[in-house]
Amino acid sequence: MDQHHNDHLDVGTTADPTPGYCKYYVKDGDDTYLPCGLMANSMFNDTFKLMNPDLEMREDQIAWEVDRTFRFRNPDGYPEICDDNYLCLYELYPGIISREDGFKDEHFMVWMRAAALDTFMNKYGRIDQDLKKGDTLTFEVTARFVVEPFNGGKALIVTTNSWIGGKWGKYNYIIEFLLLFSISYPSSSTTLLPCSLPPLLH
């Protein structure tokens, strides 16, 4: 997978890739992909909404601090340049990435941190409140990221802030998605599914 992981993306100083910069997703007719590359244009785009009225799932502070602070910035002239001959992230992922956020969307940052293995988990959100034994979390899942064409799989996982779930600072619970790849070329469709997780155990 061509990952689009160099200084042009990291510092967001230019909209135009240099020759040979990306192998895939460079042009669509007269329009230039911003950013270019297979990885940036095959982002995991399922969404999860926590339905428990007494709990909040936050989707900030899920990317690495260095990514939020330094590596991901929008190019000069953004977002006005998207009205010209560029296909920007908010146009490629409507309802997922906002025009305001662009490259600074934290779900995009998380996705662009390439995994070393073909099975991996990425952070999606966090819950700061305490949960009790027997509590049930209910999520509304909008499933867009199709895995069947490459014999893959995906799952929604809630982990605790422990050695087995990772040390995520002060947060009590982390919501992650797991992906299993056989090959790395997803397609896309949209389905709305209700999803209820089993009771959490301490």
Side-chain angles (χ1 to χ4, degrees):
M1 178 180 289
D2 116 278
Q3 297 177 356
H4 196 73
H5 264 219
N6 70 19
D7 290 343
H8 289 290
L9 172 64
D10 295 347
V11 301
T13 57
T14 181
D16 291 312
T18 57
Y21 181 54
C22 289
K23 184 176 180 180
Y24 302 103
Y25 289 95
V26 179
K27 288 274 191 178
D28 183 8
D30 294 331
D31 294 327
T32 299
Y33 284 96
L34 183 60
C36 64
L38 179 57
M39 189 168 186
N41 290 280
S42 60
M43 176 181 158
F44 182 82
N45 58 349
D46 285 6
T47 54
F48 311 112
K49 180 180 179 182
L50 181 61
M51 304 301 291
N52 299 56
D54 56 335
L55 296 174
E56 178 186 15
M57 181 182 72
R58 300 193 58 171
E59 299 175 33
D60 61 333
Q61 299 183 35
I62 58 173
W64 289 21
E65 184 176 358
V66 67
D67 291 346
R68 300 195 309 266
T69 306
F70 299 108
R71 291 190 68 232
F72 288 82
R73 287 184 283 168
N74 290 311
D76 292 339
Y78 181 90
E80 287 76 15
I81 58 174
C82 301
D83 299 327
D84 297 325
N85 296 116
Y86 292 97
L87 290 172
C88 293
L89 286 172
Y90 72 88
E91 298 171 297
L92 299 169
Y93 303 106
I96 307 297
I97 295 180
S98 70
R99 178 181 170 96
E100 178 183 4
D101 287 341
F103 282 25
K104 296 188 290 184
D105 180 89
E106 290 201 39
H107 293 296
F108 179 68
M109 296 180 194
V110 169
W111 177 254
M112 293 300 290
R113 280 280 176 182
L117 302 176
D118 57 3
T119 299
F120 59 91
M121 291 191 297
N122 276 349
K123 293 190 293 295
Y124 187 87
R126 57 189 175 87
I127 300 173
D128 295 342
Q129 297 105 310
D130 290 327
L131 300 176
K132 303 183 296 297
K133 180 178 179 179
D135 283 351
T136 297
L137 301 181
T138 301
F139 291 88
E140 182 181 82
V141 180
T142 304
R144 303 177 179 89
F145 194 87
V146 179
V147 296
E148 289 81 7
F150 52 90
N151 298 318
K154 57 184 177 179
L156 178 64
I157 297 173
V158 179
T159 65
T160 57
N161 184 24
S162 67
W163 68 270
I164 195 170
K167 296 291 186 181
W168 303 116
K170 62 183 180 180
Y171 313 129
N172 293 338
Y173 298 92
I174 300 295
I175 291 80
E176 301 179 291
F177 61 85
L178 179 146
L179 286 179
L180 170 63
F181 282 86
S182 294
I183 61 174
S184 301
Y185 195 83
S187 56
S188 175
S189 67
T190 303
T191 310
L192 190 64
L193 302 171
C195 175
S196 182
L197 294 179
L200 290 171
L201 299 178
H202 284 227

